[in-house]
Amino acid sequence: MNQEAPIIVGLDIGTTKIAAIAGRKNEYGKLEILGFGKAPSFGVQHGMVLNIDQTIKAIRQALENCYASNPDLEINEVYVGIAGHHIKSLQTRGDIVRNDTDAEISPKDIDQLINDQYKTVIPASDQIIDVIPQQYIVDSLQNIVYPIGMSGVKVGANFHIITGDKNAIRNINRSVEKSGLRIKDLVLQPLASAAAVMCDMDFEAGVAIVDIGGGTTDLAVFYEGILKHTAVIPYGGENITNDIKNGLGVLKTQAEQMKVQFGYALADEAKSNAYITIPGLRGQGPKEISVKNLAHIIQARMSEIMDFVVYHLKQIGMDNKMLNGGIILTGGGSQLKHLIQLTEYTTGVSARIGFPNEHLATGHIDELTKPMYSTCIGLILKGYNDWENDRRALDENFVKINTSYLSKEQATARETEQPVETMPEEASQGPSAQEVHERKIKERNASLKGFLDRMKTKIIDMFTEEEDAKL
């Protein structure tokens, strides 16, 4: 483990669950999970904190479970995801004129350009959450991705600005602070999910991230490495559960269980002769529910959500020919059976499920590979992106983690895949880049030698068998 890297914690405050995950990058650049805890969420609806006391209790419970998985953890700062139908976005253009035209364009120039966008006029009830540069312009040169080091008089950029309701943001801040934590940054949930499930090729090819959460469905569209559009659709898995509850006359817990175990996003795939037996209430007889009817209710709501996705894609002129990477479905709602087929049928774009294991080290517990944890893992990656680019200072007094508290599978994987020599604690600074390189060469040579030895043995055995046959 790279002891020089910080431990970063992501806190996902969702409608159905609150999750806290602590992670640290190893010397190979992969994220190792050091702590994980979750708790049911009762104070959040449609991505917005409506009951601060209940939200505080849920956050504390998630933290306690995280500490239980690893008592050596010390959590003070967290990256928090934000969503909700109050989230809006707009496009702006900003420019600065440099005084010293002979000097190279520096990070300070870019910071000034970005900070100026926080002065953009927005409604008094809203607050700017994030300013994301899309592409830069230096004098007459267009579509520049990285202008630092260039020369020019006028530097400009197109920006994607994300705003949210002040009261909604304030409620999140209060809930986290009263739980004994500090918010390092608020991150739009679809951007965090995108970081967890996408690779560099996806960013370039053009993809749409559809994060189907409990209270909202979050959308982020990328094309040629640029964030083109973000949106929050005010429907999610909770709406499907309520539709089942009202449509079939069952309890909410029963509706949620039926959705998870027997739900189909495509009614044509459900069997017409299959039924679910629900126990009656207070002496009433059991009720039989048709799986086909259940699927029709789910499909109606999921089709509505996908219609919103199509609407937003048309608004920005992104058709199926531009989204070469297709649609990536993630979040808890993406686990519905046959959702990929429904998405492709409704949008005309290829689709797949996005799992948050793109940047995870091997050996983590299986539960963390579920799409419902994409946002939380993406928040950790967002924190590391800030740290690696010196955008936010993190506490340097990192706690050395005792690996005995990690999962057995993770500890075993670390021992087998990343062998390091035992060193005194005061001298343990992690292997250097040269040592890592030499180790990889030795491993490859050992693997090649083993392969050649096996081939040699097979050839000798083959000739031995032929001689025995002749005799």
Side-chain angles (χ1 to χ4, degrees):
M1 184 183 297
N2 184 8
Q3 294 287 355
E4 296 181 356
I7 298 172
I8 296 178
V9 181
L11 182 64
D12 180 13
I13 303 176
T15 302
T16 58
K17 75 173 188 323
I18 291 179
I21 300 178
R24 166 186 276 167
K25 281 191 176 181
N26 60 21
E27 60 266 33
Y28 301 101
K30 293 295 186 179
L31 191 65
E32 291 189 342
I33 303 303
L34 305 179
F36 165 58
K38 66 175 181 177
S41 177
F42 299 105
V44 183
Q45 291 184 14
H46 299 292
M48 299 174 63
V49 175
L50 300 184
N51 189 316
I52 293 179
D53 289 338
Q54 287 187 343
T55 304
I56 293 172
K57 290 179 182 178
I59 292 174
R60 288 176 176 172
Q61 183 62 50
L63 287 175
E64 288 177 5
N65 293 335
C66 191
Y67 287 133
S69 69
N70 192 339
D72 282 346
L73 276 175
E74 183 179 341
I75 301 174
N76 297 313
E77 297 178 333
V78 291
Y79 279 78
V80 180
I82 186 170
H85 61 267
H86 63 95
I87 298 293
K88 296 185 287 291
S89 62
L90 65 148
Q91 304 291 125
T92 63
R93 166 70 186 268
D95 300 280
I96 60 171
V97 177
R98 304 173 65 239
N99 295 326
D100 189 0
T101 58
D102 294 331
E104 297 178 349
I105 297 174
S106 67
K108 289 185 178 180
D109 296 323
I110 303 303
D111 290 341
Q112 179 186 345
L113 189 62
I114 293 174
N115 291 335
D116 287 346
Q117 301 311 305
Y118 282 92
K119 303 173 185 176
T120 302
V121 178
I122 59 175
S125 60
D126 288 348
Q127 176 181 330
I128 294 178
I129 298 173
D130 204 356
V131 174
I132 303 171
Q134 294 178 312
Q135 51 194 0
Y136 294 93
I137 302 97
V138 178
D139 293 338
S140 60
L141 299 177
Q142 305 280 334
N143 302 328
I144 298 173
V145 178
Y146 190 75
I148 294 176
M150 299 178 64
S151 298
V153 177
K154 185 178 180 182
V155 181
N158 296 323
F159 293 93
H160 185 83
I161 297 181
I162 299 168
T163 66
D165 182 74
K166 284 183 178 179
N167 291 327
I169 296 172
R170 191 177 295 117
N171 288 341
I172 291 178
N173 290 334
R174 286 176 179 170
S175 300
V176 176
E177 290 170 1
K178 288 185 178 181
S179 302
L181 301 171
R182 296 190 303 272
I183 294 181
K184 196 65 182 174
D185 194 14
L186 280 176
V187 182
L188 189 65
Q189 289 187 7
L191 300 183
S193 300
V197 303
M198 290 174 61
C199 62
D200 293 337
M201 289 186 293
D202 293 325
F203 281 102
E204 182 180 352
V207 296
I209 300 291
V210 179
D211 186 350
I212 308 172
T216 61
T217 296
D218 307 321
L219 174 67
V221 183
F222 297 87
Y223 183 68
E224 294 184 347
I226 297 172
L227 174 65
K228 286 290 187 180
H229 184 68
T230 58
V232 177
I233 300 167
Y235 301 112
E238 194 83 354
N239 298 94
I240 298 175
T241 302
N242 289 330
D243 291 345
I244 297 171
K245 169 180 172 290
N246 297 328
L248 300 178
V250 297
L251 298 177
K252 189 172 182 178
T253 54
Q254 295 172 336
E256 177 69 21
Q257 189 174 3
M258 285 193 295
K259 179 185 73 174
V260 173
Q261 292 186 356
F262 306 102
Y264 288 85
L266 206 57
D268 290 343
E269 297 294 333
K271 296 180 179 179
S272 56
N273 60 347
Y275 291 87
I276 307 165
T277 302
I278 301 295
L281 298 176
R282 302 181 67 85
Q284 297 180 4
K287 180 185 295 187
E288 287 193 343
I289 305 295
S290 170
V291 174
K292 195 81 168 178
N293 291 340
L294 175 65
H296 277 295
I297 294 173
I298 296 173
Q299 181 178 343
R301 181 63 74 177
M302 287 305 309
S303 296
E304 183 180 13
I305 291 174
M306 292 304 158
D307 286 340
F308 272 100
V309 173
V310 172
Y311 168 78
H312 283 285
L313 292 177
K314 288 183 178 179
Q315 287 290 101
I316 59 174
M318 298 288 289
D319 55 16
N320 54 0
K321 295 181 180 179
M322 300 181 70
L323 291 176
N324 295 322
I327 292 176
I328 301 178
L329 301 165
T330 190
S334 66
Q335 298 178 89
L336 278 171
K337 301 179 185 69
H338 301 291
L339 180 59
I340 293 177
Q341 292 89 324
L342 176 66
T343 302
E344 293 177 342
Y345 174 77
T346 306
T347 63
V349 182
S350 62
R352 62 183 173 89
I353 303 296
F355 297 96
N357 54 5
E358 184 72 30
H359 306 281
L360 288 181
T362 57
H364 50 74
I365 60 176
D366 293 337
E367 186 175 4
L368 291 175
T369 62
K370 293 181 179 179
M372 66 176 66
Y373 298 110
S374 296
T375 297
C376 207
I377 292 174
L379 290 171
I380 302 175
L381 296 171
K382 172 63 169 60
Y384 261 101
N385 184 55
D386 287 346
W387 179 68
E388 291 167 350
N389 292 281
D390 296 325
R391 283 198 289 266
R392 294 183 186 275
L394 295 172
D395 186 8
E396 294 183 357
N397 297 320
F398 311 129
V399 179
K400 293 188 177 181
I401 295 301
N402 187 342
T403 56
S404 63
Y405 296 113
L406 303 179
S407 67
K408 181 178 179 181
E409 296 84 357
Q410 184 171 345
T412 303
R414 184 180 295 125
E415 291 173 359
T416 56
E417 293 188 10
Q418 301 171 7
V420 294
E421 296 179 0
T422 303
M423 300 176 63
E425 184 176 354
E426 62 273 9
S428 179
Q429 298 295 331
S432 64
Q434 180 65 24
E435 291 172 341
V436 173
H437 180 67
E438 291 176 357
R439 183 193 307 160
K440 289 182 178 179
I441 293 176
K442 290 179 180 178
E443 291 175 353
R444 285 197 296 267
N445 291 341
S447 177
L448 179 60
K449 184 178 182 301
F451 172 75
L452 294 176
D453 289 342
R454 290 193 298 270
M455 288 297 297
K456 180 180 177 181
T457 302
K458 289 183 179 180
I459 293 173
I460 293 174
D461 292 342
M462 181 178 66
F463 281 106
T464 302
E465 290 175 0
E466 290 180 356
E467 291 177 359
D468 292 342
K470 290 178 181 179
L471 295 176

